[in-house]
Amino acid sequence: MYALEQKILTEGIVLSDQVLKVDAFLNHQIDPVLMQQIGKEFAARFKDTGITKIVTIEASGIAPAVMAGLELSVPVIFARKYQSLTLKDDLYRSKVFSFTKQVESTIAISNKHISSTDKVLVIDDFLANGQAALGLIDLIHQASAEIIGVGIVIEKSFQPGRDLLLEKGYRVESLARVASLENGTVTFVKE
């Protein structure tokens, strides 16, 4: 997606050969016009698949997931990384290790919002090692729902996440595929 790649090049900051900071438009401050374009792109890629729900993880996946949900006219569920007083019973739970934060979190969604009749699209901001996507997939499997695919805003293609998901048979649609962050420069996968 050209607009996203241009935003990464102009506002993204390469912190290391493994870490790309995009807090100016995706995961701290949000560019709503870009998020709307991202939502439309995910909707176009998955339009004829019968999606009934979108599942994401808080917090950075919420904006692109909501915009895709708006375009597809389906509800969006976000997995919480911690329990609250209002979310404590009847939960599906999974563990997720964050490469960026170097912590393991328990994520949870209420079993009231997803069922075996749902066809689910997973959306997340980044795909690196695939752990967040696999945690969300685990929650969806616990509900016996069908996974239609995984939509990723930015994929770090030099890490194993895509291959891991493809090996398990999941469709992966990434809007920007980063080939390398070496020498402080973002290069994209040529498709």
Side-chain angles (χ1 to χ4, degrees):
M1 184 177 155
Y2 182 77
L4 175 59
E5 289 180 354
Q6 291 309 300
K7 196 69 137 171
I8 292 167
L9 291 173
T10 58
E11 296 184 32
I13 300 168
V14 177
L15 296 180
S16 73
D17 64 351
Q18 300 289 308
V19 180
L20 173 64
K21 184 177 179 179
V22 291
D23 68 343
F25 61 91
L26 180 60
N27 55 20
H28 190 55
Q29 175 173 270
I30 295 171
D31 179 334
V33 173
L34 180 63
M35 287 307 114
Q36 186 175 41
Q37 293 170 338
I38 285 169
K40 286 179 189 234
E41 184 65 26
F42 280 135
R45 292 186 186 202
F46 290 98
K47 68 180 177 184
D48 296 324
T49 59
I51 292 166
T52 61
K53 300 271 172 74
I54 294 174
V55 171
T56 190
I57 193 167
E58 69 175 353
S60 301
I62 294 173
V66 166
M67 292 300 189
L70 185 63
E71 290 295 320
L72 292 166
S73 297
V74 299
V76 175
I77 304 165
F78 65 89
R80 297 223 175 163
K81 292 182 184 173
Y82 57 88
Q83 287 187 329
S84 71
L85 293 175
T86 61
L87 185 69
K88 59 183 179 179
D89 297 322
D90 302 321
L91 301 175
Y92 298 121
R93 292 182 180 89
S94 190
K95 299 250 186 231
V96 173
F97 181 77
S98 169
F99 171 80
T100 309
K101 295 177 183 140
Q102 292 292 301
V103 296
E104 183 177 77
S105 300
T106 298
I107 60 171
I109 59 175
S110 171
N111 66 12
K112 293 176 181 71
H113 301 306
I114 189 167
S115 73
S116 61
T117 60
D118 282 314
K119 294 182 174 195
V120 182
L121 171 61
V122 171
I123 290 183
D124 203 6
D125 62 337
F126 270 94
L127 175 61
N129 293 306
Q131 297 309 299
L134 288 174
L136 292 170
I137 287 167
D138 180 44
L139 295 175
I140 296 161
H141 278 263
Q142 289 176 48
S144 299
E146 181 182 350
I147 297 160
I148 298 299
V150 178
I152 300 296
V153 178
I154 302 170
E155 173 188 322
K156 293 192 274 182
S157 296
F158 54 88
Q159 291 180 303
R162 171 180 274 273
D163 291 338
L164 186 64
L165 294 172
L166 292 175
E167 285 170 12
K168 293 182 178 288
Y170 298 111
R171 176 181 172 188
V172 178
E173 293 285 341
S174 299
L175 303 187
R177 295 185 64 200
V178 175
S180 171
L181 297 172
E182 291 178 13
N183 301 317
T185 302
V186 177
T187 54
F188 295 103
V189 172
K190 303 288 187 226
E191 296 190 60

Short mmCIF file of all heavy atoms in Angstrom, two decimals, residues 128-156:
data_model
loop_
_atom_site.label_atom_id
_atom_site.label_comp_id
_atom_site.label_asym_id
_atom_site.label_seq_id
_atom_site.Cartn_x
_atom_site.Cartn_y
_atom_site.Cartn_z
N ALA A 128 5.93 -9.70 13.36
CA ALA A 128 7.36 -9.93 13.45
C ALA A 128 7.60 -11.42 13.66
O ALA A 128 7.83 -12.16 12.72
CB ALA A 128 7.97 -9.09 14.58
N ASN A 129 7.49 -11.86 14.89
CA ASN A 129 7.68 -13.28 15.20
C ASN A 129 6.37 -14.06 15.20
O ASN A 129 6.38 -15.28 15.36
CB ASN A 129 8.38 -13.41 16.55
CG ASN A 129 9.80 -12.88 16.47
OD1 ASN A 129 10.57 -13.31 15.61
ND2 ASN A 129 10.15 -11.94 17.33
N GLY A 130 5.26 -13.39 15.08
CA GLY A 130 3.96 -14.05 14.95
C GLY A 130 3.28 -14.40 16.25
O GLY A 130 2.21 -15.01 16.23
N GLN A 131 3.85 -14.02 17.37
CA GLN A 131 3.29 -14.45 18.65
C GLN A 131 1.94 -13.81 18.97
O GLN A 131 1.05 -14.46 19.49
CB GLN A 131 4.29 -14.21 19.77
CG GLN A 131 5.58 -15.02 19.61
CD GLN A 131 5.31 -16.50 19.37
OE1 GLN A 131 4.72 -17.16 20.20
NE2 GLN A 131 5.74 -16.99 18.22
N ALA A 132 1.78 -12.53 18.65
CA ALA A 132 0.48 -11.87 18.90
C ALA A 132 -0.60 -12.50 18.03
O ALA A 132 -1.69 -12.82 18.52
CB ALA A 132 0.58 -10.37 18.65
N ALA A 133 -0.30 -12.71 16.76
CA ALA A 133 -1.27 -13.32 15.86
C ALA A 133 -1.64 -14.73 16.33
O ALA A 133 -2.82 -15.10 16.34
CB ALA A 133 -0.73 -13.36 14.43
N LEU A 134 -0.65 -15.51 16.75
CA LEU A 134 -0.92 -16.86 17.23
C LEU A 134 -1.75 -16.85 18.52
O LEU A 134 -2.62 -17.70 18.71
CB LEU A 134 0.37 -17.64 17.43
CG LEU A 134 1.08 -18.05 16.15
CD1 LEU A 134 2.43 -18.68 16.47
CD2 LEU A 134 0.23 -19.00 15.32
N GLY A 135 -1.50 -15.87 19.39
CA GLY A 135 -2.31 -15.75 20.60
C GLY A 135 -3.76 -15.44 20.27
O GLY A 135 -4.69 -16.02 20.85
N LEU A 136 -3.99 -14.53 19.33
CA LEU A 136 -5.34 -14.21 18.90
C LEU A 136 -6.00 -15.41 18.23
O LEU A 136 -7.18 -15.70 18.47
CB LEU A 136 -5.33 -13.00 17.96
CG LEU A 136 -4.94 -11.67 18.60
CD1 LEU A 136 -4.72 -10.61 17.54
CD2 LEU A 136 -5.96 -11.23 19.63
N ILE A 137 -5.25 -16.11 17.40
CA ILE A 137 -5.77 -17.32 16.74
C ILE A 137 -6.17 -18.35 17.78
O ILE A 137 -7.21 -19.01 17.66
CB ILE A 137 -4.73 -17.86 15.74
CG1 ILE A 137 -4.67 -16.94 14.51
CG2 ILE A 137 -5.01 -19.30 15.36
CD1 ILE A 137 -3.49 -17.18 13.59
N ASP A 138 -5.38 -18.50 18.83
CA ASP A 138 -5.71 -19.43 19.90
C ASP A 138 -7.05 -19.07 20.55
O ASP A 138 -7.88 -19.95 20.79
CB ASP A 138 -4.59 -19.45 20.95
CG ASP A 138 -4.87 -20.40 22.10
OD1 ASP A 138 -5.32 -21.54 21.85
OD2 ASP A 138 -4.68 -20.00 23.26
N LEU A 139 -7.27 -17.78 20.81
CA LEU A 139 -8.54 -17.35 21.39
C LEU A 139 -9.71 -17.71 20.47
O LEU A 139 -10.76 -18.19 20.93
CB LEU A 139 -8.54 -15.84 21.64
CG LEU A 139 -7.55 -15.30 22.67
CD1 LEU A 139 -7.60 -13.78 22.68
CD2 LEU A 139 -7.82 -15.86 24.04
N ILE A 140 -9.53 -17.49 19.18
CA ILE A 140 -10.58 -17.77 18.20
C ILE A 140 -10.85 -19.27 18.13
O ILE A 140 -12.00 -19.70 18.06
CB ILE A 140 -10.20 -17.17 16.83
CG1 ILE A 140 -10.12 -15.65 16.95
CG2 ILE A 140 -11.18 -17.60 15.75
CD1 ILE A 140 -9.33 -14.98 15.83
N HIS A 141 -9.79 -20.07 18.18
CA HIS A 141 -9.95 -21.53 18.17
C HIS A 141 -10.71 -22.00 19.41
O HIS A 141 -11.50 -22.94 19.33
CB HIS A 141 -8.59 -22.23 18.10
CG HIS A 141 -8.05 -22.32 16.72
ND1 HIS A 141 -8.18 -23.43 15.93
CD2 HIS A 141 -7.38 -21.41 15.97
CE1 HIS A 141 -7.61 -23.22 14.76
NE2 HIS A 141 -7.12 -21.99 14.77
N GLN A 142 -10.45 -21.36 20.56
CA GLN A 142 -11.16 -21.74 21.78
C GLN A 142 -12.67 -21.55 21.61
O GLN A 142 -13.45 -22.29 22.21
CB GLN A 142 -10.66 -20.93 22.97
CG GLN A 142 -9.26 -21.30 23.42
CD GLN A 142 -8.76 -20.41 24.53
OE1 GLN A 142 -9.47 -20.17 25.51
NE2 GLN A 142 -7.54 -19.89 24.39
N ALA A 143 -13.07 -20.59 20.79
CA ALA A 143 -14.49 -20.34 20.53
C ALA A 143 -15.02 -21.22 19.39
O ALA A 143 -16.20 -21.15 19.07
CB ALA A 143 -14.69 -18.87 20.17
N SER A 144 -14.15 -22.03 18.81
CA SER A 144 -14.49 -22.88 17.66
C SER A 144 -14.97 -22.07 16.46
O SER A 144 -15.74 -22.56 15.63
CB SER A 144 -15.55 -23.93 18.04
OG SER A 144 -15.05 -24.78 19.04
N ALA A 145 -14.51 -20.83 16.36
CA ALA A 145 -14.85 -19.98 15.22
C ALA A 145 -13.86 -20.24 14.08
O ALA A 145 -12.78 -20.80 14.29
CB ALA A 145 -14.81 -18.51 15.63
N GLU A 146 -14.24 -19.82 12.88
CA GLU A 146 -13.41 -20.01 11.70
C GLU A 146 -12.52 -18.80 11.49
O GLU A 146 -12.98 -17.66 11.56
CB GLU A 146 -14.29 -20.20 10.47
CG GLU A 146 -13.53 -20.43 9.19
CD GLU A 146 -14.43 -20.56 7.97
OE1 GLU A 146 -15.66 -20.65 8.13
OE2 GLU A 146 -13.88 -20.54 6.85
N ILE A 147 -11.25 -19.03 11.20
CA ILE A 147 -10.31 -17.95 10.93
C ILE A 147 -10.22 -17.77 9.42
O ILE A 147 -9.80 -18.68 8.70
CB ILE A 147 -8.94 -18.23 11.55
CG1 ILE A 147 -9.09 -18.29 13.07
CG2 ILE A 147 -7.93 -17.16 11.14
CD1 ILE A 147 -8.01 -19.00 13.78
N ILE A 148 -10.62 -16.58 8.96
CA ILE A 148 -10.61 -16.28 7.53
C ILE A 148 -9.22 -15.86 7.07
O ILE A 148 -8.78 -16.21 5.98
CB ILE A 148 -11.63 -15.17 7.21
CG1 ILE A 148 -13.05 -15.64 7.55
CG2 ILE A 148 -11.52 -14.71 5.76
CD1 ILE A 148 -13.52 -16.86 6.79
N GLY A 149 -8.52 -15.11 7.91
CA GLY A 149 -7.19 -14.64 7.55
C GLY A 149 -6.63 -13.71 8.59
O GLY A 149 -7.28 -13.41 9.59
N VAL A 150 -5.40 -13.26 8.32
CA VAL A 150 -4.69 -12.36 9.21
C VAL A 150 -4.30 -11.14 8.40
O VAL A 150 -3.59 -11.26 7.39
CB VAL A 150 -3.44 -13.04 9.81
CG1 VAL A 150 -2.68 -12.08 10.71
CG2 VAL A 150 -3.82 -14.31 10.55
N GLY A 151 -4.77 -9.97 8.83
CA GLY A 151 -4.42 -8.71 8.18
C GLY A 151 -3.41 -7.96 9.03
O GLY A 151 -3.64 -7.74 10.21
N ILE A 152 -2.30 -7.58 8.42
CA ILE A 152 -1.21 -6.93 9.13
C ILE A 152 -0.94 -5.58 8.50
O ILE A 152 -0.83 -5.47 7.27
CB ILE A 152 0.07 -7.80 9.08
CG1 ILE A 152 -0.18 -9.17 9.71
CG2 ILE A 152 1.26 -7.07 9.69
CD1 ILE A 152 -0.50 -9.15 11.19
N VAL A 153 -0.80 -4.55 9.32
CA VAL A 153 -0.49 -3.22 8.79
C VAL A 153 0.97 -3.21 8.31
O VAL A 153 1.23 -2.92 7.14
CB VAL A 153 -0.76 -2.11 9.82
CG1 VAL A 153 -0.37 -0.74 9.25
CG2 VAL A 153 -2.22 -2.11 10.25
N ILE A 154 1.91 -3.54 9.19
CA ILE A 154 3.34 -3.55 8.82
C ILE A 154 3.95 -4.89 9.20
O ILE A 154 3.91 -5.30 10.35
CB ILE A 154 4.12 -2.42 9.55
CG1 ILE A 154 3.52 -1.05 9.21
CG2 ILE A 154 5.60 -2.48 9.18
CD1 ILE A 154 4.08 0.08 10.07
N GLU A 155 4.49 -5.56 8.21
CA GLU A 155 5.16 -6.85 8.43
C GLU A 155 6.66 -6.66 8.34
O GLU A 155 7.16 -6.04 7.41
CB GLU A 155 4.71 -7.84 7.36
CG GLU A 155 5.46 -9.16 7.41
CD GLU A 155 5.15 -10.05 6.22
OE1 GLU A 155 3.99 -10.08 5.78
OE2 GLU A 155 6.09 -10.69 5.73
N LYS A 156 7.38 -7.20 9.32
CA LYS A 156 8.84 -7.26 9.25
C LYS A 156 9.17 -8.62 8.64
O LYS A 156 9.25 -9.63 9.34
CB LYS A 156 9.46 -7.06 10.63
CG LYS A 156 9.22 -5.65 11.17
CD LYS A 156 10.06 -5.34 12.38
CE LYS A 156 9.39 -5.80 13.63
NZ LYS A 156 10.13 -5.47 14.85
#
